[in-house]
Amino acid sequence: MMINRYRNRIPFINTSTFLRNFSTAVEESNIPAEAVPPPPPPPKESANEKRLYRRLSAIGATGGTVTQTLNEYTREGHFVKKVELERCVRELRRYGKYDHALEVMEWMDKRDINFSNTDLAVRLDLISKVHGVAAAEGYFNDLSPVMQNRNTYGSLLNSYCKLKLVDKALALFKEIEAKKFTTSLSFNNMMTLYIGLEQPEKVPPLVEEMKARKIPLSTFTYNIWMQSFSLLGDIEGVERVYEEITRDHKETCNWTTYCNLAGAYVKAGLSEKADSALKMVEHEMGQGRPSREAYHFLITFYSTLNNKEEIHRLCNVLKSSFEITSNVSYRIMLQALSKVKDLEGMKKCFEEWESNCTYYDTRVANVVVSGYLRHGMVAEAEVIFHGAVKKSKGPFVQTLALFMKHYLATQQMDLAFKCLETAATREESNWYPHIDNIEEFMKYYEQEKDVESAEKLYNCLKSLKCVDDKVYTLLLQIYIAAGVTNPDIR
């Protein structure tokens, strides 16, 4: 199957009413694993700053690069302050546009704009996300000794912990200790590492060590401490931490605290207590500036509790609380409506987004595709796709994965393979199928003794550079089942 790489099309596949193109997948949100405390409210943004950020955030739709956009903006006579650029970086990071955020910082660097210690740490973090941890290490090692400080060490440790690089994280933590750069953030990073490694029992001892050394416990420390007890199934431990923070450290208690408490109650099946905690979240939110993230958490929680009425109410409150409803907010709302099986509500919400969006984020459309496929509504999913392909440039690989999984689940193996084959020819990402999906293909081919299809799959996986010993073993089992003894197999 040939792909026209210069057009936003994937060729028609003449089987049934199979989809003709695809957009990015957004996995259904579960209860947030942890609620990260929001940064302090920034100064009121200027009209100039709003214009600049809107241009930068729209690059995905308008084309061009960050450098071109910033150069054009300054040629128009706009004077750009450092604080405005920093805020743009912060917002781009918040919405996952790490490559664009890094380009802003590189543009600043070329113009000899001085970076603070915090700026250096942010840049290191972005390099890790965009170019990988090796590039981040290179950047850190090239910094002068005075710039290898508490901030940049902390940023590098954060990268190691997020990527679960245990040995490197432990070694760097010891180095941070030796240099007396240790802060609550360093401990928080290690706690996050242990949660990611499914070793929550290692979190409480770290908290006790912080207390013994009189290192202040931040809001995040309390949140992740609560989470560790929740993962251990110790709801009494969760409540003890909550009582401590509200009794002794009320100043560190905010909406994220109540979100973590609600999450623990939901996990323990204590719906009434969870509902009470969510009411406290909303009360806490009313005490200050509205937070999109808080609304996102609330809507997601209520979808887990299957409370359709609260979802609709909060969606309306969210939309009325901000001048613009972001694409991320629409994704959250659509995921929640899909989860409670409100397909009509999901459809109306999606139509509202399509009519108002300034940037057609295919990930939003894909939430609806996923929702329809979950209910076996393939034709409806295709309709969403047709609209998306007319209005966006992709990327499309992840939606191929959505349809592939649907066809695997319904044993339509030819269609599933066509999805995989088409994805393999795209140049949009380094995507490759999960080993569980590969196993589904291979087990089916083994059962059918279908060597020809298995070899087609193998060649497709080779093109994606994801063949390993597991794949070879699965292929060998198919040869054995089919009685194939060709010496070329070796």
Side-chain angles (χ1 to χ4, degrees), residues 453-466:
S453 294
E455 289 179 337
K456 284 183 180 178
L457 174 64
Y458 166 74
N459 288 327
C460 187
L461 297 176
K462 271 179 63 178
S463 72
L464 291 170
K465 299 179 181 179
C466 63

Side-chain angles (χ1 to χ4, degrees), residues 45 50 53-54 57 95 292 296 318-327 329-330 356-359:
E45 63 181 346
K50 284 183 179 179
Y53 175 69
R54 284 174 184 169
S57 64
Y95 293 109
R292 291 183 194 271
H296 295 170
L318 169 58
K319 288 184 286 188
S320 65
S321 297
F322 300 92
E323 182 181 349
I324 296 174
T325 306
S326 69
N327 287 346
S329 292
Y330 272 108
N356 295 320
C357 68
T358 54
Y359 163 55

Side-chain angles (χ1 to χ4, degrees), residues 284-302:
E284 185 70 21
M285 287 163 54
Q287 306 306 303
R289 186 179 179 182
S291 165
R292 291 183 194 271
E293 290 80 3
Y295 283 114
H296 295 170
F297 280 121
L298 280 170
I299 291 168
T300 302
F301 274 123
Y302 279 119

Side-chain angles (χ1 to χ4, degrees), residues 269-330:
L270 301 171
S271 299
E272 289 186 11
K273 286 190 172 185
D275 191 66
S276 176
L278 292 175
K279 291 293 187 289
M280 288 191 285
V281 173
E282 204 164 351
H283 173 75
E284 185 70 21
M285 287 163 54
Q287 306 306 303
R289 186 179 179 182
S291 165
R292 291 183 194 271
E293 290 80 3
Y295 283 114
H296 295 170
F297 280 121
L298 280 170
I299 291 168
T300 302
F301 274 123
Y302 279 119
S303 71
T304 303
L305 295 170
N306 200 34
N307 192 327
K308 188 186 302 185
E309 291 73 22
E310 283 297 291
I311 291 171
H312 279 283
R313 182 183 69 81
L314 286 164
C315 286
N316 290 330
V317 174
L318 169 58
K319 288 184 286 188
S320 65
S321 297
F322 300 92
E323 182 181 349
I324 296 174
T325 306
S326 69
N327 287 346
V328 174
S329 292
Y330 272 108

Side-chain angles (χ1 to χ4, degrees), residues 190-208:
M190 296 306 296
M191 293 178 200
T192 303
L193 172 65
Y194 290 131
I195 292 293
L197 294 172
E198 299 182 2
Q199 298 173 0
E201 69 280 358
K202 293 187 177 181
V203 171
L206 285 177
V207 175
E208 295 306 321

Side-chain angles (χ1 to χ4, degrees), residues 438-439 441-443 445-446 450-459 461-462 467-484 488-490:
I438 296 173
E439 286 184 355
F441 276 112
M442 292 294 203
K443 292 298 182 184
Y445 295 148
E446 181 182 355
D450 187 351
V451 173
E452 182 181 355
S453 294
E455 289 179 337
K456 284 183 180 178
L457 174 64
Y458 166 74
N459 288 327
L461 297 176
K462 271 179 63 178
V467 173
D468 58 13
D469 57 343
K470 179 70 172 179
V471 173
Y472 283 122
T473 301
L474 292 168
L475 184 61
L476 181 59
Q477 289 171 349
I478 295 170
Y479 284 139
I480 293 170
V484 176
D488 288 343
I489 291 172
R490 181 179 300 179

Side-chain angles (χ1 to χ4, degrees), residues 320-349:
S320 65
S321 297
F322 300 92
E323 182 181 349
I324 296 174
T325 306
S326 69
N327 287 346
V328 174
S329 292
Y330 272 108
R331 283 164 56 191
I332 295 293
M333 292 187 287
L334 288 165
Q335 287 168 349
L337 293 168
S338 173
K339 189 167 186 176
V340 298
K341 302 179 182 177
D342 184 0
L343 300 184
E344 186 60 31
M346 181 181 74
K347 178 183 176 183
K348 289 180 180 178
C349 183

